Amino acid sequence: MQSEALQIDALAYRKALGHFTSGVTVITTAMNGSVHGMTANAFCSVSLNPALVLISIDKKTAMHELLAQSGFYGVSVLAQNQEAYSRHFAGQPQTNLPVLFTWRQNCPLLEGALAQLVCRVTDAHPAGDHTLYIGQVEYLSYSDEHAPLLFYSGKYKALEGQATGPTFIYDPSWW
Ligand code: FAD
């Protein structure tokens, strides 16, 4: 039996999905020594062994074409005090914002980020108007010095208060 695709209103889709709170990352890559960065929150962990992550990149972006060529990307998870970088790398250039990259495994990463990953593209899946770039993690670092920048319902947010209870370490064998 064939079912008709449900018509989803674009604004309602954006609003509903906006209720899923995320962190914010800056995705970076480089071609011939020239660095390109863009803000992305469509980022998630995919697999522990091997260590794989996923980013979803709009086909209209400059990053989309660059990733297809470079075959690698950096993920810099933004701290709460880095909102200006999120705006800047989303196409709203910020004046007097120092943009500094640190290089690991020949990949640029944004300085001061909470966590940094270097990923080699292992798969690229077309998905509607985006492409899902799956990357194998080849380098990582993190710091607990700052709180994360959050994105909810189209606005930047901060964590309220301190977490209670012990740290939860996710164990995939429970799944
Ligand atoms: P451009 O728009 O040309 O560049 C991006 C900006 O980065 C420009 O301001 C440019 O000056 C600056 N820049 C780039 N490289 C450098 C450099 N080396 N030094 C200094 N500045 C530099 N889009 C998605 O496809 N997927 C997502 O998951 C996603 N999530 C988003 C989440 C948030 C919170 C926001 C605000 C936007 C998100 N976007 C996402 C939209 C995306 O960030 C924008 O469409 C972005 O402009 C696309 O970048 P581009 O590659 O086309 O490059």
Side-chain angles (χ1 to χ4, degrees), residues 103-127:
W103 291 77
R104 295 287 181 273
Q105 318 270 102
N106 295 320
C107 177
L109 296 159
L110 190 68
E111 283 197 3
L114 280 189
Q116 299 174 321
L117 309 177
V118 172
C119 309
R120 183 170 45 82
V121 174
T122 55
D123 275 306
H125 297 279

Side-chain angles (χ1 to χ4, degrees), residues 42 56-61 64 125-133:
S56 179
I57 303 294
D58 192 323
K59 288 178 178 167
K60 292 192 297 294
T61 62
H64 188 272
H125 297 279
D129 49 16
H130 281 53
T131 296
L132 308 179
Y133 285 98

Side-chain angles (χ1 to χ4, degrees), residues 35-42 56-58 61-63 88-91 151:
V35 178
H36 183 73
M38 84 162 238
T39 302
N41 66 345
S56 179
I57 303 294
D58 192 323
T61 62
M63 179 60 82
H88 177 81
F89 286 102
F151 197 66

Side-chain angles (χ1 to χ4, degrees), residues 5-173:
L6 185 66
Q7 283 298 315
I8 296 290
D9 174 73
L11 184 60
Y13 175 86
R14 280 170 177 267
K15 284 189 172 176
L17 273 288
H19 282 69
F20 184 67
T21 307
S22 73
V24 183
T25 75
V26 171
I27 305 300
T28 41
T29 196
M31 285 288 292
N32 306 318
S34 171
V35 178
H36 183 73
M38 84 162 238
T39 302
N41 66 345
F43 160 73
C44 68
S45 153
V46 171
S47 157
L48 181 61
N49 187 18
L52 299 174
V53 297
L54 175 155
I55 55 173
S56 179
I57 303 294
D58 192 323
K59 288 178 178 167
K60 292 192 297 294
T61 62
M63 179 60 82
H64 188 272
E65 182 60 27
L66 287 167
L67 282 183
Q69 295 172 44
S70 73
F72 68 91
Y73 58 85
V75 180
S76 300
V77 178
L78 297 187
Q80 196 178 306
N81 62 2
Q82 291 186 306
E83 183 181 320
Y85 290 94
S86 177
R87 294 181 190 281
H88 177 81
F89 286 102
Q92 291 181 279
Q94 309 285 298
T95 44
N96 302 322
L97 183 71
V99 177
L100 299 172
F101 298 104
T102 179
W103 291 77
R104 295 287 181 273
Q105 318 270 102
N106 295 320
C107 177
L109 296 159
L110 190 68
E111 283 197 3
L114 280 189
Q116 299 174 321
L117 309 177
V118 172
C119 309
R120 183 170 45 82
V121 174
T122 55
D123 275 306
H125 297 279
D129 49 16
H130 281 53
T131 296
L132 308 179
Y133 285 98
I134 297 190
Q136 177 143 8
V137 179
E138 298 192 329
Y139 166 87
L140 60 79
S141 71
Y142 60 89
S143 147
D144 294 324
E145 210 177 312
H146 296 286
L149 179 64
L150 304 184
F151 197 66
Y152 169 74
S153 211
K155 293 192 176 73
Y156 294 101
K157 299 279 183 186
L159 280 182
E160 281 178 19
Q162 294 295 311
T164 55
T167 303
F168 179 81
I169 307 284
Y170 170 68
D171 181 345
S173 67

